[in-house]
Amino acid sequence: MKLPACIVVLLLLFASNPVLQAQKSAIKADPKDAADKFTNNNFEGALDQYLQLLEKEPTNKTYNYRVGVCYLNTNINRKKAIPYFEVVTRQPKYEADAMYLLGRSYAFAYRFDDALKAYSKFKAEGRGTADNLKDVDREIQNCYNAKELMKFPLDVTFENLGKNINSQYDDYWPFIPSDESFLVFNSKRPDGGAVMEMNGEYASGIFMSKVVNGVFGKAKNIGPPINTSEGDEEVIGLSATGQEMLLYYDNMLGVGDIYLAEEDKKGNFKKADILDESINSPNGFEISAAITNDARTIYFTSDRKGGLGGTDIWVSHKLPTGHWGEATNLGPDVNTELDEDFPSVSPDGKTLYFSSKGHTTMGGYDIFRMEWDEINHKWGNLKNLGYPINTPEDNMNFRVSETGRFGYISAIREEGLGGLDIYRVTFNNIEPKYSVLKGKVISADTTKKINYPDVFITVINDKTQENVGNYVPNANTGKYVIIVSPGVYTVNVELAGYQAYTQKLSIVDKSSFKTEIEREIKLLPVGYVAPAPPAPPKTPGNGTPKKPGK
């Protein structure tokens, strides 16, 4: 995605592809080649070479400084920059911005007190780029914000979506319809003929995974007409129905505009059309968007004239003519003098999620939420979504399921497969959906009558090994009812005089979820031998074939 030129290159918004740094490059390090890669923002390629050069010159200030900058501009592990900036800043003279960048590195490592010391020293020295000197006070405040937000962590669980979705490259900006029947996201993996660009990254493409039996299947390149063979394609929005997809192209189609692709009757997305000039301004960049459930309102991000500063969130409503009406800025309750990005509307249209640098953040972008005020007809009650969804990293594009129990984000975490990975976040304080398992307990020997009050049923959660419930069937009918949330369980049934009964129970999730499941429990008496099945009736042609006549 091509952002406005005012974005500082030193701390990129969107990081490059991960490379396993434990594997040394077979290419011999060359100072000139390393410098060329560094200048072209190929930070991973430069990093590999500078690490080799440092083996011969471990105190070289330039090499140490550039290794630190490379780590800050990749998704390998930003806190790895710390020892290199520490080497630089211990020297009598060093790069003017090194102390500021050391503070940033400490913040990524959650060492906020050390970050505050580094920022204070940077301010006292009064050296560095104008942007960093201007930004340092906000970074100091971000450290205090982070310390406060971390005192009240959210009760959430992160689930990495695994190798069916994630790769060793950056996988980012996930979108789901409200029923979680499929997932679309962007990836900078080399699949689908993606070309490597000057900065060492592969061009981004759009991938899709469909849910089968509650599980996301292997993600596949969405292909033409959405993906093209040249440049970058990115999904930037999806309606709650999953029938409208918003796209951003940086290729032969253009740059800095938003496109809309609609689903056809077969469930495939048709060729995308560029949106009206009321949304795509002639002199601005439009870089992300959200469309409401009825496909009649679009929230989008733009740096056009008339905003409050940086990129702002705007709204446009569809007119009776089918065109999009004049865009309106959401105003100072939402927008700030800094950047806002990635609006997303909950399936019921009552909650707006977005990313912001300008509100109370832990550093970079944090995700915020606002609620629709029915009386005043505007968004209000701004809240930071909280830690650990928000971190000192850039946190963008939060997508929520229909129930609000699950959210989807891309993040850098220790358990990741490499770079940005896609996670499903469970809000544990929101009740899950429950499925009703019901049926009847019967005896395989129809001549024996079961005394139902003596039947004892237990259900064990296979993941936690927790006993989630003990049950007894109805004393008169033998019917039972078990209520459980999605997961895998073991059902055990005990009754004196009968063999122990064990059966696996899988309650599938997402769009595969069923509210009711019927299952008969058939108990076998001890020593019971099932009668042999009756022989199949003889039919013409089943006997011994006759010899052909002479």
Side-chain angles (χ1 to χ4, degrees):
M1 177 182 290
K2 300 294 185 183
L3 294 178
C6 62
I7 302 297
V8 180
V9 172
L10 191 59
L11 292 170
L12 296 177
L13 294 183
F14 308 111
S16 53
N17 305 326
V19 173
L20 298 177
Q21 294 300 318
Q23 299 176 348
K24 280 193 174 182
S25 173
I27 301 173
K28 186 177 179 181
D30 174 64
K32 185 180 183 303
D33 187 40
D36 288 343
K37 285 183 168 62
F38 187 87
T39 302
N40 287 319
N41 297 336
N42 184 352
F43 295 110
E44 286 185 4
L47 176 62
D48 186 61
Q49 297 211 35
Y50 280 127
L51 286 172
Q52 293 184 60
L53 291 168
L54 276 176
E55 292 180 0
K56 297 180 179 178
E57 299 181 59
T59 60
N60 185 297
K61 286 192 296 184
T62 299
Y63 297 165
N64 275 283
Y65 180 80
R66 291 191 173 185
V67 165
V69 172
C70 287
Y71 273 125
L72 287 182
N73 282 280
T74 64
N75 283 334
I76 296 167
N77 188 338
R78 290 189 175 90
K79 64 185 178 184
K80 285 188 175 183
I82 291 173
Y84 301 97
F85 287 129
E86 286 179 336
V87 168
V88 173
T89 55
R90 290 191 189 112
Q91 306 300 319
K93 294 182 179 180
Y94 51 83
E95 290 278 353
D97 288 307
M99 189 62 70
Y100 170 84
L101 297 177
L102 177 59
R104 295 286 282 135
S105 306
Y106 283 139
F108 287 125
Y110 296 88
R111 293 169 58 179
F112 299 114
D113 289 336
D114 290 330
L116 288 168
K117 292 176 184 177
Y119 289 142
S120 296
K121 191 169 182 180
F122 176 73
K123 282 188 67 176
E125 290 173 350
R127 301 185 305 124
T129 62
D131 284 327
N132 289 341
L133 287 167
K134 180 182 177 182
D135 185 63
V136 66
D137 285 330
R138 178 166 292 278
E139 294 300 338
I140 289 172
Q141 184 59 52
N142 288 342
C143 288
Y144 288 117
N145 296 342
K147 292 172 75 171
E148 287 301 309
L149 286 166
M150 290 181 69
K151 291 178 181 178
F152 309 98
L154 298 170
D155 182 11
V156 295
T157 303
F158 287 82
E159 176 196 355
N160 187 297
L161 293 188
K163 293 183 179 180
N164 272 359
I165 304 298
N166 294 311
S167 67
Q168 69 179 60
Y169 301 87
D170 279 340
D171 304 292
Y172 58 102
W173 302 347
F175 293 92
I176 53 153
S178 59
D179 66 355
E180 299 179 271
S181 57
F182 66 88
L183 171 76
V184 287
F185 63 98
N186 305 306
S187 181
K188 292 192 174 182
R189 63 189 74 179
D191 298 21
V195 297
M196 182 176 285
E197 299 172 335
M198 286 291 292
N199 62 2
E201 296 180 350
Y202 286 99
S204 59
I206 301 168
F207 286 72
M208 175 180 281
S209 168
K210 295 185 178 180
V211 170
V212 179
N213 293 329
V215 177
F216 285 116
K218 184 72 175 177
K220 297 180 181 179
N221 188 300
I222 202 169
I226 301 301
N227 282 341
T228 68
S229 58
E230 294 185 7
D232 295 281
E233 300 85 35
E234 291 172 323
V235 54
I236 57 172
L238 185 76
S239 65
T241 62
Q243 296 176 334
E244 293 85 18
M245 183 164 59
L246 295 159
L247 305 162
Y248 180 98
Y249 287 105
D250 181 7
N251 53 25
M252 298 298 290
L253 288 176
V255 59
D257 289 328
I258 298 172
Y259 290 72
L260 175 65
E262 296 181 329
E263 194 178 53
D264 63 21
K265 293 181 179 179
K266 295 182 179 180
N268 300 314
F269 284 97
K270 298 182 286 188
K271 184 178 178 180
D273 295 318
I274 191 168
L275 293 177
D276 299 351
E277 284 194 5
S278 54
I279 292 174
N280 291 315
S281 57
N283 299 313
F285 282 81
E286 285 69 44
I287 56 179
S288 64
I291 189 166
T292 54
N293 206 12
D294 60 5
R296 301 200 63 81
T297 301
I298 284 182
Y299 296 89
F300 65 95
T301 307
S302 175
D303 67 345
R304 65 182 63 198
K305 291 182 179 180
L308 277 69
T311 53
D312 280 6
I313 298 176
W314 301 69
V315 62
S316 174
H317 303 283
K318 183 168 279 191
L319 301 172
T321 61
H323 295 289
W324 291 98
E326 183 179 353
T328 304
N329 189 291
L330 289 190
D333 290 337
V334 176
N335 295 312
T336 68
E337 73 279 5
L338 298 180
D339 294 322
E340 278 67 45
D341 208 341
F342 273 103
S344 176
V345 184
S346 63
D348 62 8
K350 294 180 180 180
T351 306
L352 173 69
Y353 298 92
F354 66 98
S355 302
S356 174
K357 286 183 174 181
H359 294 290
T360 305
T361 81
M362 294 181 65
Y365 284 99
D366 273 14
I367 300 169
F368 293 82
R369 59 172 290 168
M370 299 185 79
E371 297 171 359
W372 181 249
D373 185 340
E374 293 283 359
I375 297 174
N376 297 307
H377 297 282
K378 66 175 185 176
W379 296 104
N381 195 20
L382 176 75
K383 291 182 180 178
N384 185 302
L385 211 56
Y387 171 82
I389 289 178
N390 287 323
T391 69
E393 304 277 355
D394 282 332
N395 306 110
M396 309 177 75
N397 182 42
F398 179 79
R399 186 74 178 187
V400 68
S401 67
E402 186 173 17
T403 63
R405 179 171 166 82
F406 302 106
Y408 288 77
I409 61 169
S410 49
I412 303 170
R413 292 177 59 85
E414 294 292 338
E415 69 271 26
L417 276 65
L420 286 163
D421 275 9
I422 295 172
Y423 290 83
R424 189 185 195 220
V425 182
T426 303
F427 290 83
N428 297 316
N429 62 327
I430 297 178
E431 283 289 313
K433 296 186 293 185
Y434 289 99
S435 187
V436 176
L437 174 69
K438 62 182 182 179
K440 187 175 181 180
V441 178
I442 64 172
S443 174
D445 185 350
T446 57
T447 64
K448 293 193 69 174
K449 185 178 180 181
I450 292 177
N451 186 33
Y452 294 123
D454 293 337
V455 176
F456 188 65
I457 304 172
T458 60
V459 180
I460 306 296
N461 185 310
D462 282 13
K463 184 176 182 180
T464 64
Q465 291 302 302
E466 179 185 6
N467 184 347
V468 298
N470 300 315
Y471 306 87
V472 175
N474 183 285
N476 296 316
T477 65
K479 292 182 178 180
Y480 69 91
V481 175
I482 297 172
I483 300 176
V484 286
S485 60
V488 179
Y489 303 88
T490 298
V491 178
N492 298 310
V493 184
E494 297 176 9
L495 176 62
Y498 284 80
Q499 299 177 31
Y501 174 98
T502 298
Q503 190 176 72
K504 290 293 182 183
L505 170 65
S506 180
I507 305 297
V508 292
D509 200 359
K510 307 180 182 71
S511 58
S512 305
F513 177 80
K514 294 181 179 178
T515 56
E516 287 190 3
I517 299 172
E518 289 200 27
R519 184 172 294 181
E520 186 179 72
I521 295 176
K522 183 181 289 188
L523 301 181
L524 300 175
V526 174
Y528 175 73
V529 178
K538 288 187 177 182
T539 57
N542 281 348
T544 303
K546 294 181 179 179
K547 292 182 180 180
K550 291 182 180 180

